[in-house]
Amino acid sequence: MTNVLKGKRIVLGITGSIAAYKACYLIRGLIKRGAEVQVVITPAGKEFITPITLSALTSKPVISEFFAQRDGTWNSHVDIGLWADAMLVAPATASTIGKMANGIADNMLITTYLSMKAPVFVAPAMDLDMYAHPSTQANLQKLRSFGNRIIEPGTGELASHLVGKGRMEEPENIILNLEQYFASQGGDLQGKTILVTAGPTYEKIDPVRFIGNYSTGKMGLALADECTARGARVILITGPMQQSTHYPMYKHLQVESASEMYQAAVEAYAEADAAIMAAAVADYTPVQVEAVKMKREKTGNITLPLKPTQDIAAALGELKRAKNGKVLVGFALETTDETSNAEDKLRRKNLDFIVLNSLNDAGAGFGYDTNKICIINKQGKTNYPLKPKTEVAVDIIDYLVKTLKTEG
Ligand code: CTP
């Protein structure tokens, strides 16, 4: 997946809360995603966590005083304000929130905040009574009105165990907030709405049985996340599955059968610029759903009459003939005559391109975390090596962006 935090410069403001230890997890998560972190800590913050730990994790000296040494050199909050792509105050105590709201610039963190040119995120951490107090709420409201983003405290179990009801949102969720922010700023799918179908469908036989398939939906979810990371609004339609996306989606519709997926997809396609049909849709469904559980026959075989489902990709392909400019992407999972079968589907379903993966390739297809694809359009064929599905998603979306440009 495109890493939206790569190379981003984050100023992390740490204040005097027991949740300060969580700053280590925040730093680790941010650095793992390729961000640069500059810590600015309040004097009270240093009572909870040592600057040595923080500078070791960030590979940068921690800033806490106006004057670093007694030789006249000083830390420039103005320069830090210009350097940063975002400032995150986590944990933010009631005191720091109050100072931020009222411009009480008595420490380096607040002066840095006042000089900040980048967006500011605030993750409050305090006892629930303090948090609920009208003073704190009024200060938070003030911060919101200044355009700051408040990351509401969740109910982290460890934090509540340590400090009663005090809690800061979990580091992973705080990082996700930053990722969502950067994903929404730019990216080559900015302003585009992309429909993605993913996962299997279940076709009911009776109240307890269905016809399904082995699709886990991983490839489709990776595509939905990749589109989101590049700034698209994603409408995700999934059949029954265990997995979930990294990012919250613009819209997520959960369906069960091919016919439910068909209805949801046709409706969503109206507002989409492109559709990626990554679902493994059942081709047949029982002619009739039994109202009661089918009994085991005493002897012999039984026959289950099946009727064809609607082909969702082909239906959208038909709609595309009327409304030009939309890009339609299909998948093909083939075991024989791969290329010619895929080319046939490309034509039949009126797709702009089709992603072919062959079950004959080791590590490709259902259930694996890797995939080996080949993309076919009317002009020709592009082969890609075996890669993790998250990286395959980057290749497919690169191809989609290119296609959208030539169509649009
Ligand atoms: N597809 C769909 N609706 C269906 C069946 C397939 O939208 N009812 C889409 C899939 O999501 C995929 C593409 O069509 O993008 C090809 O799916 P596949 O099952 O390989 O093709 P079929 O048309 O079902 O052909 P066959 O089963 O004969 O290979």
Side-chain angles (χ1 to χ4, degrees), residues 197-199 201 258 261-262 265 276-284 308-316 329-334 341 344-345 348-349 351 354-355:
T197 67
T201 63
M261 190 175 275
Y262 172 84
I276 306 172
M277 316 309 286
V281 187
D283 287 325
Y284 292 93
T309 57
Q310 272 152 313
D311 188 325
I312 305 168
L316 302 193
V329 182
F331 274 75
L333 183 68
E334 306 292 343
N341 276 331
D344 181 50
K345 278 174 197 170
R348 234 182 334 114
K349 305 192 187 206
L351 307 171
I354 190 157
V355 182

Side-chain angles (χ1 to χ4, degrees), residues 48-271:
F48 288 89
I49 187 159
T50 76
I52 292 173
T53 307
L54 299 166
S55 63
L57 287 170
T58 58
S59 314
K60 285 187 202 302
V62 166
I63 297 172
S64 64
E65 312 295 336
F66 291 109
F67 304 100
Q69 284 121 24
R70 302 222 165 268
D71 61 0
T73 51
W74 58 296
N75 286 313
S76 167
H77 49 89
V78 177
D79 289 346
I80 308 168
L82 291 169
W83 173 84
D85 293 308
M87 180 175 187
L88 166 65
V89 185
T93 56
S95 164
T96 289
I97 289 168
K99 289 181 187 177
M100 288 168 76
N102 296 288
I104 301 171
D106 68 347
N107 66 41
M108 194 61 195
L109 190 151
I110 306 294
T111 52
T112 302
Y113 163 68
L114 291 175
S115 302
M116 190 50 59
K117 298 280 174 256
V120 178
F121 295 77
V122 180
M126 67 199 73
D127 156 279
L128 192 62
D129 290 333
M130 288 174 83
Y131 185 69
H133 196 282
S135 295
T136 310
Q137 288 303 316
N139 285 332
L140 284 170
Q141 201 44 44
K142 251 184 164 177
L143 289 188
R144 282 190 199 95
S145 74
F146 301 157
N148 299 313
R149 291 147 219 263
I150 311 300
I151 304 173
E152 296 290 340
T155 47
E157 266 182 27
L158 187 54
S160 29
H161 171 72
L162 284 173
V163 288
K165 288 266 163 66
R167 62 255 156 89
M168 178 177 81
E169 183 52 285
E170 291 306 324
E172 279 305 310
N173 285 339
I174 293 176
I175 293 171
L176 184 60
N177 264 270
L178 291 175
E179 287 182 311
Q180 277 182 271
Y181 164 75
F182 285 114
S184 70
Q185 304 294 301
D188 43 17
L189 286 176
Q190 190 74 37
K192 300 282 183 208
T193 302
I194 314 285
L195 165 64
V196 179
T197 67
T201 63
Y202 284 2
E203 308 302 318
K204 258 205 174 93
I205 298 171
D206 69 15
V208 298
R209 301 183 182 92
F210 59 85
I211 301 173
N213 61 66
Y214 290 121
S215 166
T216 56
K218 275 184 194 161
M219 190 65 241
L221 299 188
L223 288 161
D225 273 327
E226 181 59 24
C227 290
T228 305
R230 296 192 191 198
R233 298 199 300 185
V234 176
I235 305 174
L236 175 64
I237 303 176
T238 54
M241 63 165 73
Q242 305 300 319
Q243 325 269 333
S244 52
T245 51
H246 174 73
Y247 288 105
M249 292 289 124
Y250 166 65
K251 265 189 209 167
H252 183 184
L253 309 166
Q254 286 166 290
V255 299
E256 186 174 298
S257 64
S259 97
E260 285 169 16
M261 190 175 275
Y262 172 84
Q263 276 174 13
V266 169
E267 196 174 309
Y269 192 54
E271 56 172 309

Side-chain angles (χ1 to χ4, degrees), residues 310-331:
Q310 272 152 313
D311 188 325
I312 305 168
L316 302 193
E318 277 312 309
L319 291 170
K320 195 164 70 89
R321 285 186 213 278
K323 291 180 199 144
N324 272 329
K326 297 200 184 201
V327 170
L328 185 58
V329 182
F331 274 75

